[in-house]
Amino acid sequence: MDKRVGLDSVSFMLNGSAVMARPLPGERLSYSLRERCGARDVKVGCDAGDCGACTVLLDGAAVCACLTPTHQAEGRRVETLAGLRGSDDAADALAESFDAHGAAQCGICTPGMMVSALALLRSGAPISEASVQDALGGVLCRCTGYRKIIDAVLEAGQAHPLPSGGGRIGQPIRRLDGAGKLDGTERFGDDVAPVDALHLRVIRSPFHRARFDLGYLTGWAEATPGIVTILTAADIPGKATFGVIPAFADQPVFAVSETRFRGEAVAAVIGTASALQMLDETQLPVTWEELPAALSMGEALAPGAVDLHADRPGNVMCKGFVSCGDADAALTAAAVTVEGSFTTSFVEHAYIEPEAGFAQMVDDRLEVHACTQAPVMDREALADILGLPESAVRVVPTGVGGGFGSKLDLSVQPYIALAALKTGQAVRMAYSRTESMQSTTKRHPARITARIGATSDGRLKGMTFDGQFNTGAYASWGPTVANRVPVHASGPYKISDYRAQAQGIHTHCVPSGAFRGFGVPQSAAVQESLFDLLADKLGMDRLEFRILNALENGTPTVCGQVFESGVGIRACFAALRPAWQGALAEVAAWNKTHPAQRRGVGVAGGWYGCGNTSLPNPSTMKCGVRADGTLILHQGAVDIGQGSNTVIAQIFATTLGVPVDAVTLIGADTDVTPDAGKTSASRQTFVSGNAARLSAEALRADILARVNADKTASLRFEGDVIEIRDAAKTHRLALSDLPCDAQGYVLHAEETYDPPTLPLDANGQGHPYAQFGYAAHLAVVEVDKDLCTVQPLRIVAAHDVGRAINPQLVEGQVQGGVAQGLGMALMEEYLPGRTDNLHDYLIPTIGDIPPIETLIIEEPDAHGPFGAKGLGEHALIPTAPALLNAIRDATGVQVTDLPATPARLRAKLREQTDG
């Protein structure tokens, strides 16, 4: 204890090599490894020991490097994933198993997962599901749902044959981008900056609403060693606000005089790494005056409430509306009606990678490298903010460690861009976990009332729906939520008399934005809960009630849209029948002898329209062949873990008629890939997949035409020759004989696909989406009535994906969506100002996710590539209502305020017993 800890050097073995670092007192080992030793495979997700992404082996024991002072590594042995791969047979066997199972999706948690698993495998302890969950319990994953990770560890060292067939659609090939995720070489937003880059920190409001005065910041900066400059609103050469929907672009890059939410940016400090490490923000000459804030929709809508935006009186941002038939008359005539009011909470995206990136000037152009879901949207917004033409801005997405919608919005990008422009130097920034949670978008809290009726024989007859959605201080994707919800609030059912309206309401909270479902999970939780009440009133089986009322081919939706094929919701429900009957019998038998631990089974359905609502939604793909026979696909759809790099390549290769390993991918980069649109709204497989299909068709037609070959001919790339074989003969196309274009291609094609939709009229009638995907989930839970805890026991998820381009990736998306739906239903509740870290804000861990059985239904879509439909959102939507219905089945109480925490469930149970 009496050993001096100062600026002494620390020596230790890092992956078998001696290294020396000179850390500051108390410096985290994670920082030293990344910033002083170049071990970028060590990821930082929280700096608090909550997420486990930074896990390394210290003398063979798994530790969180962010909780370990570097000085404690003196004379010891440190191992990271990058060092273990290639030097440790067990690590390589584990990576092979992860690859075979699709256990790495975005990849940001993978180093921590694999290092923790390796410690277990090395220990010699018996390997079981329980021991894997115990060993990996400290590492969080937001993408996979954990089940494939458990399977991968259990089967490490076993043979995992590669699928044959060349990667055609329908084959569960491994991720084409998997290698970098499994050896630590994948580069995320905080991994790519030059070592000499300046650092940036944003100064943010500590209050929900406040006036402020920045004081003489320039003088403070000049007097502070290591501080290079300060950014404020005065430094913005172009447009001072941004937003994802141009007509609603209302969020200031830097607030001026007054802030509207806790965490809003007012200035930024740029300096050296050491200066910002030592920065004490309380020493800045910024003064604050806290003002009264409206944090709830009730407060914001109350008479006399302050309008956050002068052009949005009453704090109503916008409205959405859909109406068909006469809902009120139908409800009056209904034999049975039910109604209810529900609330949902803010939900944090909780991706393990906080927002990060760097910007630099290259010649006279600005380059921004950052984790993003929408590079072209970023370029457009940055050009506006910087007052530059779009041609002067390049956006290069890094690896994205989870997004789920929030990384559609700008985060670090404007700050590092302005800083690079002002200083002429490279500038980097990574949000802290607290900063990420305070300032980035959330799932909209909702306040919903609905009423639904039915005839005596169980057919739906009338529905009304009124929803208010807390969009926070700024619009973000609030207009999309307000317009999408009324289209979806009926669920995938036949309702001829219907009225639904939704409002986006401004409050002094962090902005709400896109989060896997755009408001549909909230509306589904209400509608599907009321369906159970309705079925019970009618004395009908809850699953059969849904099957009776499910949409079918040729039946109008509530928007009057008719699909002649591809409506797969009834098939999804029918696929659940065996599990449903078995679960009903199982819980009935259990409950006879377990009065305090009650089990229940719930079912719910869902649908989701893929792509933008009644708006253009194009994607463009480019491909080319070089003279040496290299086949290249410029694939600009950002893969955030969902697998678009693999799925789109499979669609392209199958259409062209070559094995997928013949295709070289060039990933998203606004300089070299055309606009594939944003990665959101479950659109990439459908829209970008179609663009890839059209591009491949055009290239194939060009090749065949050059040798006058039949359309059924096979293609084979052999060096600088393409062999084309049809029924008549074998043709050989010598690529070296063809002229090259300016991009170095002797053959090329570029095609665009935009889904056919029609605008909605004043009553919401039209064709909002070219396709819907459908899903039905079954959940079995055990409720401890004494502790008021809910343990999910298993989930069965039936999904109509049209055509499963890659069944393994389908399973991965379903399992990850189920995990997020489980979190929404049972534990996740973001409270502004109170849950700004992953210790107070709970997301499911590896021990919370039950076995998940995925049933793949294929009802081909008329517009999808090979009939395929989108999937990302659909996997989450039915989970929460299925769990809520299972809780009610177990206990007899209906939880109407999400999440169903033990405290809320206890209150409902006390109401049941005490009135």
Side-chain angles (χ1 to χ4, degrees):
M1 293 296 292
D2 58 356
K3 181 178 179 181
R4 183 173 66 89
V5 177
L7 296 179
D8 300 332
S9 61
V10 175
S11 299
F12 56 91
M13 298 296 293
L14 175 59
N15 294 325
S17 299
V19 298
M20 184 177 69
R22 194 177 293 275
L24 296 174
E27 184 171 291
R28 304 173 192 274
L29 180 59
S30 54
Y31 183 90
S32 297
L33 291 173
R34 287 178 53 82
E35 303 299 333
R36 304 189 191 280
C37 303
R40 298 289 189 189
D41 57 309
V42 178
K43 305 305 178 187
V44 174
C46 67
D47 265 343
D50 295 324
C51 75
C54 66
T55 303
V56 300
L57 299 182
L58 184 61
D59 287 342
V63 300
C64 277
C66 73
L67 296 183
T68 305
T70 305
H71 286 86
Q72 289 189 4
E74 172 68 39
R76 302 175 74 180
R77 177 169 49 93
V78 177
E79 295 170 283
T80 73
L81 177 63
L84 290 163
R85 287 300 315 278
S87 64
D88 185 289
D89 290 343
D92 291 341
L94 183 63
E96 164 68 11
S97 190
F98 263 62
D99 198 23
H101 285 86
Q105 288 190 16
C106 82
I108 192 71
C109 74
T110 304
M113 285 287 183
M114 290 184 61
V115 167
S116 299
L118 186 62
L120 171 65
L121 296 175
R122 283 179 171 181
S123 71
I127 307 299
S128 64
E129 181 169 325
S131 68
V132 171
Q133 290 175 318
D134 185 55
L136 275 61
V139 186
L140 296 178
C141 175
R142 194 59 159 165
C143 297
T144 66
Y146 299 105
R147 300 307 305 184
K148 289 188 178 296
I149 293 173
I150 294 171
D151 293 342
V153 179
L154 290 174
E155 296 182 19
Q158 297 182 19
H160 302 104
L162 293 169
S164 59
R168 295 179 60 83
I169 62 162
Q171 295 175 349
I173 68 168
R174 301 182 184 185
R175 290 176 179 269
L176 300 182
D177 56 2
K181 303 175 191 295
L182 298 169
D183 63 13
T185 58
E186 176 86 351
R187 289 293 179 254
F188 296 92
D190 198 32
D191 299 336
V192 296
V195 293
D196 59 349
L198 295 173
H199 288 236
L200 182 148
R201 184 184 300 179
V202 171
I203 308 304
R204 300 184 180 277
S205 172
F207 302 109
H208 298 294
R209 179 180 173 224
R211 293 193 190 96
F212 67 95
D213 187 333
L214 294 177
Y216 187 41
L217 280 175
T218 301
W220 172 85
E222 291 173 348
T224 305
I227 301 301
V228 174
T229 191
I230 297 284
L231 293 175
T232 68
D235 293 292
I236 300 172
K239 189 176 179 181
T241 57
F242 65 91
V244 291
I245 301 173
F248 290 86
D250 58 359
Q251 184 165 351
V253 177
F254 293 112
V256 178
S257 74
E258 183 176 319
T259 59
R260 294 185 175 98
F261 73 94
R262 185 173 184 264
E264 183 163 9
V266 300
V269 180
I270 297 96
T272 64
S274 58
L276 289 194
Q277 272 187 301
M278 304 299 292
L279 177 64
D280 180 357
E281 291 185 20
T282 64
Q283 300 304 306
L284 272 69
V286 182
T287 56
W288 299 93
E289 178 191 355
E290 187 175 7
L291 298 172
L295 298 183
S296 71
M297 289 186 285
E299 292 171 323
L301 293 170
V306 173
D307 286 340
L308 273 79
H309 301 273
D311 60 342
R312 299 170 192 168
N315 289 315
V316 177
M317 178 194 59
C318 71
K319 301 178 181 180
F321 183 73
V322 171
S323 178
C324 62
D326 189 334
D328 293 326
L331 286 167
T332 300
V336 176
T337 61
V338 296
E339 60 185 308
S341 296
F342 292 71
T343 65
T344 69
S345 302
F346 281 113
V347 181
E348 162 67 19
H349 295 74
Y351 29 71
I352 307 305
E353 178 204 26
E355 296 76 3
F358 88 97
Q360 63 183 355
M361 299 300 298
V362 178
D363 298 326
D364 59 347
R365 299 178 72 226
L366 177 75
E367 287 190 359
V368 176
H369 301 249
C371 52
T372 175
Q373 295 178 233
V376 174
M377 287 175 58
D378 287 2
R379 182 181 64 181
E380 294 168 350
L382 289 173
D384 285 345
I385 292 167
L386 301 172
L388 296 173
E390 288 183 25
S391 60
V393 180
R394 179 186 186 186
V395 175
V396 184
T398 62
V400 182
F404 317 116
S406 186
K407 288 177 183 174
L408 292 166
D409 293 70
L410 293 178
S411 57
V412 302
Q413 296 94 322
Y415 308 115
I416 56 178
L418 287 163
L421 201 63
K422 184 172 183 178
T423 66
Q425 299 182 62
V427 180
R428 63 183 285 197
M429 181 187 191
Y431 279 4
S432 68
R433 177 56 60 180
T434 295
E435 186 173 23
S436 176
M437 295 183 73
Q438 283 184 353
S439 66
T440 62
T441 60
K442 309 287 175 274
R443 185 182 297 285
H444 287 71
R447 195 165 62 182
I448 296 170
T449 298
R451 187 175 180 220
I452 310 174
T455 61
S456 59
D457 62 353
R459 298 186 185 275
L460 289 169
K461 189 173 180 64
M463 176 177 178
T464 58
F465 176 100
D466 290 279
Q468 294 176 331
F469 292 80
N470 183 346
T471 202
Y474 300 107
S476 182
W477 292 95
T480 302
V481 169
N483 284 283
R484 183 178 280 268
V485 166
V487 174
H488 287 80
S490 64
Y493 303 98
K494 296 175 284 189
I495 305 180
S496 57
D497 298 280
Y498 173 83
R499 185 181 67 250
Q501 54 190 355
Q503 295 180 318
I505 308 299
H506 281 301
T507 64
H508 289 103
C509 293
V510 61
S512 299
F515 189 172
R516 209 169 190 172
F518 286 96
V520 181
Q522 296 95 304
S523 66
V526 176
Q527 166 257 314
E528 289 288 336
S529 294
L530 293 181
F531 269 25
D532 262 24
L533 296 178
L534 199 53
D536 287 356
K537 268 196 170 185
L538 291 162
M540 292 183 65
D541 178 274
R542 298 163 188 168
L543 175 61
E544 297 303 325
F545 172 76
R546 289 169 167 84
I547 292 174
L548 174 67
N549 288 288
L551 277 173
E552 301 173 274
N553 295 333
T555 305
T557 70
V558 292
C559 292
Q561 187 172 10
V562 176
F563 292 93
E564 298 300 335
S565 64
V567 180
I569 184 59
R570 178 167 288 187
C572 290
F573 281 130
L576 293 181
R577 272 190 176 120
W580 173 253
Q581 295 299 330
L584 288 174
E586 170 197 317
V587 301
W590 171 274
N591 290 337
K592 287 180 180 178
T593 56
H594 296 81
Q597 287 79 38
R598 303 285 293 180
R599 290 185 176 178
V601 56
V603 67
W607 65 336
Y608 191 81
C610 300
N612 295 346
T613 308
S614 292
L615 291 171
N617 192 21
S619 178
T620 301
M621 289 280 163
K622 180 173 70 175
C623 62
V625 181
R626 301 200 184 280
D628 64 359
T630 303
L631 172 63
I632 296 174
L633 175 62
H634 293 255
Q635 202 288 92
V638 177
D639 194 322
I640 60 174
Q642 82 280 22
S644 60
N645 282 335
T646 304
V647 166
I648 291 171
Q650 285 184 268
I651 293 169
F652 175 82
T654 300
T655 304
L656 186 60
V658 299
V660 74
D661 60 12
V663 181
T664 299
L665 289 178
I666 292 181
D669 177 336
T670 59
D671 267 13
V672 297
T673 51
D675 185 8
K678 60 190 182 297
T679 293
S680 73
S682 301
R683 63 177 293 281
Q684 293 296 21
T685 295
F686 169 37
V687 183
S688 292
N690 261 327
R693 175 185 60 81
L694 292 172
S695 180
E697 286 178 354
L699 180 61
R700 179 179 172 85
D702 185 11
I703 292 170
L704 298 182
R706 288 174 183 270
V707 296
N708 197 28
D710 186 84
K711 290 182 179 180
T712 62
S714 63
L715 303 184
R716 183 178 178 185
F717 283 69
E718 295 183 331
D720 61 357
V721 172
I722 303 177
E723 182 183 278
I724 306 109
R725 181 176 299 177
D726 61 16
K729 60 181 295 188
T730 297
H731 313 267
R732 293 176 65 82
L733 180 61
L735 300 172
S736 58
D737 293 340
L738 303 178
C740 284
D741 63 15
Q743 299 175 66
Y745 292 124
V746 295
L747 300 167
H748 78 276
E750 182 172 320
E751 296 291 333
T752 298
Y753 178 79
D754 193 2
T757 61
L758 292 175
L760 299 178
D761 65 16
N763 286 319
Q765 299 300 292
H767 293 185
Y769 311 103
Q771 69 163 217
F772 285 82
Y774 304 89
H777 289 186
L778 177 153
V780 180
V781 304
E782 181 174 307
V783 180
D784 188 312
K785 296 186 70 174
D786 294 327
L787 299 176
C788 299
T789 55
V790 179
Q791 180 185 0
L793 299 178
R794 73 174 181 275
I795 304 285
V796 183
H799 278 265
D800 168 28
V801 298
R803 179 72 183 275
I805 303 297
N806 186 314
Q808 184 181 78
L809 297 182
V810 168
E811 287 184 354
Q813 282 293 284
V814 170
Q815 292 176 4
V818 165
Q820 289 187 347
L822 184 151
M824 174 186 170
L826 301 181
M827 64 184 72
E828 296 191 43
E829 183 173 18
Y830 178 81
L831 303 171
R834 293 173 57 189
T835 52
D836 291 338
N837 57 64
L838 293 176
H839 180 76
D840 296 319
Y841 183 86
L842 303 180
I843 69 172
T845 70
I846 199 169
D848 293 316
I849 306 302
I852 301 168
E853 180 183 0
T854 302
L855 306 176
I856 296 176
I857 309 299
E858 295 182 306
E859 294 282 338
D861 179 76
H863 300 289
F866 299 97
K869 302 170 184 173
L871 175 62
E873 264 84 359
H874 313 75
L876 179 146
I877 290 166
T879 306
L883 288 164
L884 294 178
N885 288 339
I887 293 170
R888 179 175 170 272
D889 185 57
T891 64
V893 301
Q894 178 73 66
V895 177
T896 56
D897 301 302
L898 271 66
T901 60
R904 289 192 175 110
L905 182 55
R906 181 174 183 269
K908 287 291 184 180
L909 289 170
R910 291 188 67 180
E911 285 179 20
Q912 182 189 56
T913 56
D914 303 339

